[in-house]
Short mmCIF file of all heavy atoms in Angstrom, two decimals:
data_model
loop_
_atom_site.label_atom_id
_atom_site.label_comp_id
_atom_site.label_asym_id
_atom_site.label_seq_id
_atom_site.Cartn_x
_atom_site.Cartn_y
_atom_site.Cartn_z
N THR A 1 7.87 -1.22 13.06
CA THR A 1 7.51 -1.91 11.82
C THR A 1 5.93 -2.00 11.67
O THR A 1 5.46 -2.82 11.01
CB THR A 1 8.05 -3.34 11.69
OG1 THR A 1 7.45 -4.18 12.78
CG2 THR A 1 9.62 -3.36 11.96
N ALA A 2 5.25 -1.04 12.19
CA ALA A 2 3.72 -0.93 12.11
C ALA A 2 3.27 -1.05 10.68
O ALA A 2 2.28 -1.71 10.34
CB ALA A 2 3.20 0.28 12.80
N PHE A 3 3.88 -0.23 9.78
CA PHE A 3 3.48 -0.21 8.30
C PHE A 3 4.64 -0.68 7.44
O PHE A 3 4.64 -0.37 6.23
CB PHE A 3 2.94 1.22 8.05
CG PHE A 3 1.72 1.59 8.85
CD1 PHE A 3 1.88 2.34 9.99
CD2 PHE A 3 0.47 1.15 8.39
CE1 PHE A 3 0.82 2.78 10.76
CE2 PHE A 3 -0.61 1.55 9.15
CZ PHE A 3 -0.48 2.28 10.27
N SER A 4 5.63 -1.35 7.88
CA SER A 4 6.72 -1.72 7.15
C SER A 4 6.40 -2.55 5.93
O SER A 4 5.45 -3.41 6.15
CB SER A 4 7.70 -2.48 7.99
OG SER A 4 8.83 -2.88 7.22
N GLY A 5 6.85 -2.26 4.82
CA GLY A 5 6.54 -3.07 3.62
C GLY A 5 5.26 -2.70 2.97
O GLY A 5 4.75 -3.57 2.12
N CYS A 6 4.57 -1.60 3.37
CA CYS A 6 3.28 -1.21 2.83
C CYS A 6 3.75 -0.40 1.51
O CYS A 6 3.62 0.84 1.48
CB CYS A 6 2.49 -0.35 3.74
SG CYS A 6 1.76 -1.28 5.04
N SER A 7 4.10 -1.17 0.51
CA SER A 7 4.71 -0.53 -0.77
C SER A 7 3.68 0.24 -1.53
O SER A 7 4.15 1.10 -2.44
CB SER A 7 5.33 -1.57 -1.52
OG SER A 7 4.41 -2.63 -1.93
N GLY A 8 2.40 0.10 -1.26
CA GLY A 8 1.41 0.74 -2.15
C GLY A 8 0.98 2.15 -1.39
O GLY A 8 0.27 2.92 -2.01
N LEU A 9 1.47 2.40 -0.25
CA LEU A 9 1.03 3.51 0.57
C LEU A 9 1.75 4.80 0.06
O LEU A 9 2.97 4.80 -0.07
CB LEU A 9 1.38 3.30 2.08
CG LEU A 9 0.79 4.26 3.05
CD1 LEU A 9 -0.71 4.01 3.09
CD2 LEU A 9 1.31 3.82 4.49
N THR A 10 0.94 5.74 -0.50
CA THR A 10 1.56 6.89 -1.11
C THR A 10 1.63 8.10 -0.20
O THR A 10 2.41 8.98 -0.31
CB THR A 10 0.64 7.35 -2.36
OG1 THR A 10 -0.72 7.52 -1.93
CG2 THR A 10 0.69 6.22 -3.37
N SER A 11 0.70 8.25 0.69
CA SER A 11 0.71 9.38 1.69
C SER A 11 0.13 8.87 2.99
O SER A 11 -0.63 7.94 3.11
CB SER A 11 0.03 10.55 1.07
OG SER A 11 -1.40 10.19 0.93
N ILE A 12 0.47 9.62 4.02
CA ILE A 12 0.07 9.30 5.38
C ILE A 12 0.03 10.63 6.17
O ILE A 12 0.90 11.39 6.14
CB ILE A 12 0.90 8.20 6.11
CG1 ILE A 12 0.19 7.74 7.31
CG2 ILE A 12 2.25 8.64 6.37
CD1 ILE A 12 0.68 6.36 7.85
N THR A 13 -0.99 10.68 6.97
CA THR A 13 -1.12 11.87 7.93
C THR A 13 -0.95 11.30 9.32
O THR A 13 -1.73 10.55 9.77
CB THR A 13 -2.45 12.64 7.74
OG1 THR A 13 -2.58 13.01 6.38
CG2 THR A 13 -2.50 13.79 8.69
N ILE A 14 0.05 11.90 10.02
CA ILE A 14 0.29 11.52 11.43
C ILE A 14 -0.27 12.56 12.25
O ILE A 14 0.02 13.77 12.13
CB ILE A 14 1.82 11.36 11.59
CG1 ILE A 14 2.40 10.32 10.79
CG2 ILE A 14 2.06 11.06 13.06
CD1 ILE A 14 3.88 10.16 10.80
N PRO A 15 -1.31 12.25 13.03
CA PRO A 15 -2.02 13.21 13.82
C PRO A 15 -1.09 13.76 14.93
O PRO A 15 -0.18 13.24 15.36
CB PRO A 15 -3.25 12.47 14.39
CG PRO A 15 -2.69 11.06 14.44
CD PRO A 15 -1.84 10.84 13.28
N ASN A 16 -1.65 14.92 15.58
CA ASN A 16 -0.95 15.60 16.54
C ASN A 16 -0.90 14.81 17.88
O ASN A 16 -0.19 15.19 18.82
CB ASN A 16 -1.65 17.00 16.91
CG ASN A 16 -1.23 17.95 15.76
OD1 ASN A 16 -0.08 18.03 15.27
ND2 ASN A 16 -2.28 18.81 15.32
N SER A 17 -1.67 13.78 18.04
CA SER A 17 -1.59 13.05 19.23
C SER A 17 -0.46 12.08 19.36
O SER A 17 -0.11 11.71 20.52
CB SER A 17 -2.89 12.18 19.40
OG SER A 17 -3.00 11.39 18.15
N VAL A 18 0.13 11.81 18.27
CA VAL A 18 1.34 10.72 18.28
C VAL A 18 2.56 11.48 18.92
O VAL A 18 3.02 12.47 18.52
CB VAL A 18 1.56 10.24 16.86
CG1 VAL A 18 2.83 9.42 16.85
CG2 VAL A 18 0.43 9.55 16.33
N THR A 19 3.06 10.72 19.84
CA THR A 19 4.30 11.15 20.57
C THR A 19 5.52 10.41 20.18
O THR A 19 6.67 10.84 20.38
CB THR A 19 4.21 11.13 22.10
OG1 THR A 19 3.81 9.68 22.50
CG2 THR A 19 2.99 11.92 22.56
N SER A 20 5.36 9.12 19.68
CA SER A 20 6.55 8.34 19.22
C SER A 20 6.24 7.47 18.02
O SER A 20 5.21 7.02 17.78
CB SER A 20 7.02 7.40 20.38
OG SER A 20 6.02 6.52 20.66
N ILE A 21 7.22 7.39 17.15
CA ILE A 21 7.21 6.62 15.95
C ILE A 21 8.16 5.50 16.10
O ILE A 21 9.43 5.77 16.30
CB ILE A 21 7.43 7.47 14.64
CG1 ILE A 21 6.40 8.54 14.54
CG2 ILE A 21 7.46 6.65 13.42
CD1 ILE A 21 6.61 9.61 13.40
N GLY A 22 7.79 4.23 15.99
CA GLY A 22 8.71 3.16 16.32
C GLY A 22 9.67 2.77 15.25
O GLY A 22 9.69 3.39 14.23
N ASN A 23 10.56 1.94 15.59
CA ASN A 23 11.67 1.49 14.70
C ASN A 23 11.12 0.91 13.42
O ASN A 23 10.13 0.08 13.53
CB ASN A 23 12.60 0.48 15.40
CG ASN A 23 13.19 0.97 16.78
OD1 ASN A 23 13.42 2.19 16.85
ND2 ASN A 23 13.46 0.02 17.60
N SER A 24 11.67 1.33 12.32
CA SER A 24 11.24 0.77 11.04
C SER A 24 9.69 0.89 10.80
O SER A 24 9.17 0.12 10.07
CB SER A 24 11.67 -0.68 10.80
OG SER A 24 13.05 -0.76 11.07
N ALA A 25 9.08 1.81 11.45
CA ALA A 25 7.60 2.00 11.35
C ALA A 25 7.12 2.11 9.90
O ALA A 25 6.00 1.56 9.61
CB ALA A 25 7.18 3.20 12.13
N PHE A 26 7.79 2.82 9.03
CA PHE A 26 7.38 3.04 7.67
C PHE A 26 8.47 2.51 6.72
O PHE A 26 8.52 3.00 5.58
CB PHE A 26 7.03 4.45 7.42
CG PHE A 26 5.84 4.98 8.24
CD1 PHE A 26 6.07 5.59 9.43
CD2 PHE A 26 4.53 4.74 7.84
CE1 PHE A 26 4.97 6.00 10.18
CE2 PHE A 26 3.47 5.14 8.59
CZ PHE A 26 3.70 5.86 9.78
N SER A 27 9.28 1.65 7.13
CA SER A 27 10.46 1.21 6.36
C SER A 27 9.90 0.49 5.06
O SER A 27 8.90 -0.27 5.14
CB SER A 27 11.32 0.28 7.06
OG SER A 27 10.66 -0.96 7.51
N TYR A 28 10.56 0.71 3.88
CA TYR A 28 10.21 0.12 2.68
C TYR A 28 8.77 0.39 2.20
O TYR A 28 8.12 -0.39 1.48
CB TYR A 28 10.40 -1.46 2.79
CG TYR A 28 11.89 -1.72 2.90
CD1 TYR A 28 12.33 -2.14 4.16
CD2 TYR A 28 12.92 -1.56 1.88
CE1 TYR A 28 13.74 -2.34 4.45
CE2 TYR A 28 14.14 -1.87 2.01
CZ TYR A 28 14.59 -2.18 3.38
OH TYR A 28 15.90 -2.42 3.60
N CYS A 29 8.30 1.51 2.54
CA CYS A 29 7.05 2.09 2.01
C CYS A 29 7.44 2.85 0.64
O CYS A 29 7.60 4.03 0.74
CB CYS A 29 6.21 3.05 2.98
SG CYS A 29 5.57 2.15 4.40
#
């Protein structure tokens, strides 16, 4: 849920270093 509910977020770039994306990380964006 790192960015959960960030309803104004239109785009995001996930870099090549990231190995895991958590539960509900971007839910309700």
Side-chain angles (χ1 to χ4, degrees):
T1 64
F3 297 96
S4 177
C6 292
S7 55
L9 198 62
T10 56
S11 64
I12 190 163
T13 300
I14 300 173
N16 285 321
S17 55
V18 173
T19 58
S20 64
I21 299 173
N23 303 331
S24 302
F26 297 95
S27 63
Y28 298 101
C29 290

